[in-house]
Amino acid sequence: MTEPDPVADSAAVDKSEMVAESDPVVETEPPVAADEQSDVGEGTAESSPKETIKQAIAVLEAEEYAEFLETYVVPSEYAKIKERGVALVVVHFAKSNAPEMLAVMKEIISKDLVPEMSEDGKTAFYDVEQRIASRNTFALVNIDERWYIPNKPPERN
């Protein structure tokens, strides 16, 4: 076994620990770029339809299908998934739905599509070229200030 190297270990010290007591520490939020601000709908940039889609893409690309279902499926629909067995649904979702859902969401982001919002601002409808579940509409619904993907898009007003 080798002895610890105190010189190498000192280089790994967190630089935040090196702040002198006389140095003021100011915590600020980084500015939000205009394209990251809420595009349409309620909530903050993190809860906008566009940001929700970007985050969902990252989860799908990482092949974290169980996390995707738990995070982005409407809570009442996810409760039904839990009753059937998440593992079983994940296997089916990974093979059949995930690839087309990922393609649709990438289309929305790459084309910078703007959703048509319902009158109450709680549903964002995207008209897409890529078909998903035999439809050319992708929707997100806002429940308790978070955007979710419904199994079937609601009717437009």
Side-chain angles (χ1 to χ4, degrees), residues 99-100 103-104 107 111 128-132 135-137:
E100 67 181 14
V104 166
E107 176 186 339
K111 293 182 177 180
V128 293
E129 291 177 21
Q130 172 75 33
R131 294 180 70 75
I132 183 163
R135 294 183 295 270
N136 288 92
T137 300

Side-chain angles (χ1 to χ4, degrees), residues 21-72:
E21 287 183 27
S22 61
D23 292 343
V25 176
V26 178
E27 293 183 21
T28 59
E29 293 289 323
V32 177
D35 67 336
E36 293 179 9
Q37 293 176 1
S38 180
D39 53 349
V40 180
E42 298 181 13
T44 63
E46 293 80 27
S47 65
S48 73
K50 185 176 187 177
E51 283 305 310
T52 297
I53 291 170
K54 286 180 181 179
Q55 293 165 5
I57 287 171
V59 174
L60 283 179
E61 287 180 332
E63 298 181 0
E64 297 291 340
Y65 303 120
E67 178 184 340
F68 177 86
L69 295 172
E70 183 177 3
T71 305
Y72 298 104

